[in-house]
Structure formats: C-alpha cells, structure tokens
Amino acid sequence: MNPFVLAVLLSSLGLGTALTFASSHWLLAWMGLEINTLAIIPLMTQQHHPRAVEATTKYFLTQATAAAMILFASTTNAWLTGEWGIQQLSHPVAAATALMALALKVGLAPVHFWLPEVIQGLDLPTGLLLSTWQKLAPFALIVQVAPFADSALLTALGILSTLVGGWGGLNQTQLRKVLAYSSIAHLGWMVLVLQFAPSLTLLALLTYILMTASAFLTFNATRSTSISMLATAWAKAPALVGLASLVLLSLGGLPPLTGFMPKWLILQELTKQGLPLTATIAALTALLSLYFYLRLCYAMSLTTSPNTSPTAAPWRIITTQSHLPLAAATTCALTLLPLTPAVSALLTP
C-alpha cells in the first residue's frame, strides 16, 4: 500500500477514536465510530483475496447495523427525554438498545458471531488493529452507558462472553480464531466488573491490549497462522518461541505473569460486592480459555515438526523487520505483576 494512503488511513483511525473519546453528544460519538469503520476497511481489503473481501463485507454490514442501532437508541432517548448527551441516557429502553449496539460493535456474546470469521479472513497486522485499537472507541461509550443500563443485562453479557470465549476456542486450529475467542472472553471479564469498578475495566482492557499485541506480533514474526505451523516456529526464532509460550500463559491469567493481575482484582471486587457465584463461574470459564492456550504452548515448545530442512537454520537469516514493538509488548505482558500494589493504589478512588 502507498505510504501516503497508509498514513491517511491511520490518521483517520486516530481521529475517529479521539473524536469518540472527546464527545459528549451522541451524534459526534457516532461520527467518530463511523470514521473508524471507514478508515479500517481499505486496510482489511489490501490483500485482494476473496477471504479478505468476504471478511470486510461482514465487518461493514455488522458495524453499519450497530451504528444504526446507536442512532435509533439516541434518537429514542432524545424523543422521550429531550436529551442528546451521552451522560443523559436515562430511559431504560434506549440504554439497553445502546448497550446491545455497542456490544455488537466490540463482539460481546451473544452478538459475537461475526468476530472470529472476520479476524480469520484478515492478515495478522490488520487483525491486531481490529482486536485492539478498534475496541477503544466503542468501549469508551460502553463505560459511559453502563451506569444507565440494567445490571442484570451487564452481568448476563459478561458471563455469556466468558463462557462462549472459553468454549468456542476449544475446537479451533487457526490462531486468529483462537485469539478472536480469547478477545470475547477477556471482554466478558471487563463487562462483569464494569458496573462496580470502571477503573478495573480499563486496567483489564490495557493489559489485554498489551498481551494480544505481543501474541499477534509473535505469530506475525514467525509467519504462523495455524497450530500445526507453530511446531516449526522454534526453528525461526528459538528465544521468541519460549517467550511466546509465557505470553500465552499470561493471556490465560496464570501467576506470576501480567495477565493474572486483572483477573485477580476482578475476582476480588466481585467477591466484595457479594457476588461469589458470579466470581466462581468466571473463574471456571477461565479454565476453558487456559486449556486452548496450553494447546498452543504444547505445539510451540513440546513438539517437533516431522519435516527437516537441509538449508541453513531460519533464525540465522537476517531480517529487516522491526522487533521493538514486539519486545516492548512482550516485556509488559510478562513482567508487570509486581506493580499490582501501585496500580491498586492509583485505581482506588
């Protein structure tokens, strides 16, 4: 892609997200979401492959439907209450409609069906954008809408997302679909605690972005798109494969890695709020996610490909690809757990 066109598209992505962050009016927030959607579509179709075009079409139709629902919810609220502000979403029907539209935007269960198929049709860098940056603007609106939504609806969305995210990833062999179901599960954890501690939701979102960025960049560096290809990844980057296994365990939430921090704090908050059953169900669904992360770790570090190459070891080949983002994301995904007391102090109101 032409670098000038790429710069315009990435600038538009930043503009759309910033516009949604800064808006207090529903129409401005809707405009930011639409700029985001239209900016990423050319990036999704740059492969010129039928699967990419199919994924882009699915993504566009889904996002257009969600945007229409947001307009309908905001117009309904303005009609019934006379208010267009995001913080004045006082009517329960409008609040529930807006929440479900934003859930469709980010891919929360039960409106998640588009997400695995769309990410599977994209290349890894664009899938990284879709899994991280594209969730920021809708999630900022979810945080603002949550106080007006029904708490039972939020809890149901959270529990269902953690369950679907864990259960759906069990039978997958494609890495992009595994990461898509991982995204659904992590979003469920964020929504579960949103009504009690929004600061914990933002912490979980930040750690999820760091860990997912590290996973996507690792798979991109080793050119791996399926579990069977992970068995040959060690020959391309031995040290990176060892660290990638730890990153996947961090995504699963195992101590002493960074991914344990948000799950630990969320379970603690749910218990404080008198919801031990919800916390127990969330912890059990995390075991489902941990199983398919362990499958990936097994394929990367405990199996050897039956194919032997007579050529020079691939890890000796000099590459021009920049590994600074990968190194930074991997370091953060593995080593931030000791900062938990400082983070808790900062988040305590």
Side-chain angles (χ1 to χ4, degrees):
M1 180 177 286
N2 188 297
F4 296 106
V5 175
L6 182 62
V8 169
L9 294 177
L10 294 179
S11 301
S12 299
L13 279 176
L15 172 65
T17 304
L19 186 61
T20 303
F21 281 175
S23 60
S24 59
H25 194 285
W26 272 112
L27 286 181
L28 281 177
W30 173 80
M31 286 171 58
L33 293 175
E34 288 304 288
I35 291 172
N36 253 359
T37 301
L38 295 176
I40 201 173
I41 282 177
L43 295 173
M44 297 171 71
T45 55
Q46 63 181 329
Q47 293 182 18
H48 302 295
H49 189 274
R51 284 299 303 270
V53 175
E54 177 188 349
T56 307
T57 305
K58 290 177 180 177
Y59 180 75
F60 176 75
L61 293 176
T62 305
Q63 299 299 306
T65 303
M69 288 177 64
I70 290 173
L71 278 181
F72 176 73
S74 56
T75 307
T76 302
N77 187 69
W79 178 37
L80 295 173
T81 67
E83 296 289 347
W84 278 98
I86 298 175
Q87 298 292 340
Q88 278 82 35
L89 194 65
S90 54
H91 198 275
V93 174
T97 306
L99 182 62
M100 290 306 298
L102 293 168
L104 180 60
K105 275 273 183 189
V106 296
L108 280 168
V111 284
H112 67 284
F113 295 98
W114 63 273
L115 184 61
E117 297 298 326
V118 168
I119 290 184
Q120 176 59 29
L122 306 177
D123 59 348
L124 288 167
T126 312
L128 171 60
L129 266 182
L130 194 65
S131 298
T132 55
W133 186 265
Q134 286 298 97
K135 296 192 186 307
L136 294 178
F139 219 88
L141 294 177
I142 290 177
V143 170
Q144 297 179 71
V145 168
F148 307 102
D150 185 16
S151 60
L153 177 59
L154 280 169
T155 304
L157 284 174
I159 289 292
L160 195 57
S161 295
T162 57
L163 185 62
V164 167
W167 202 267
L170 293 179
N171 201 31
Q172 302 301 326
T173 59
Q174 298 295 318
L175 298 180
R176 284 164 289 186
K177 280 194 175 182
V178 168
L179 290 174
Y181 281 107
S182 167
S183 170
I184 296 168
H186 279 87
L187 288 172
W189 280 84
M190 298 173 209
V191 171
L192 267 181
V193 79
L194 180 56
Q195 53 191 318
F196 307 116
S199 54
L200 283 184
T201 296
L202 297 180
L203 171 66
L205 180 61
L206 178 61
T207 54
Y208 161 74
I209 287 174
L210 290 173
M211 295 183 294
T212 301
S214 178
F216 267 104
L217 291 172
T218 299
F219 295 151
N220 188 48
T222 57
R223 302 291 187 268
S224 301
T225 57
S226 64
I227 293 181
S228 60
M229 295 175 71
L230 286 179
T232 61
W234 63 271
K236 301 173 185 175
L240 183 59
V241 167
L243 291 175
S245 302
L246 294 177
V247 169
L248 292 171
L249 295 179
S250 182
L251 272 167
L254 285 186
L257 305 170
T258 304
F260 179 62
M261 184 191 346
K263 286 185 168 60
W264 175 21
L265 296 176
I266 288 172
L267 290 176
Q268 183 182 20
E269 183 64 30
L270 290 174
T271 308
K272 281 182 183 177
Q273 297 294 334
L275 297 170
L277 181 60
T278 304
T280 303
I281 294 174
L284 290 176
T285 56
L287 295 178
L288 294 173
S289 300
L290 182 61
Y291 175 78
F292 60 74
Y293 294 131
L294 287 173
R295 280 182 69 204
L296 300 185
C297 292
Y298 177 80
M300 294 179 81
S301 55
L302 296 177
T303 60
T304 303
S305 173
N307 305 319
T308 56
S309 174
T311 59
W315 59 269
R316 295 182 182 271
I317 301 173
I318 299 175
T319 175
T320 58
Q321 183 179 353
S322 173
H323 291 303
L324 181 60
L326 172 58
T330 302
T331 303
C332 293
L334 298 181
T335 60
L336 293 185
L337 185 64
L339 296 180
T340 302
V343 172
S344 300
L346 287 174
L347 294 178
T348 303

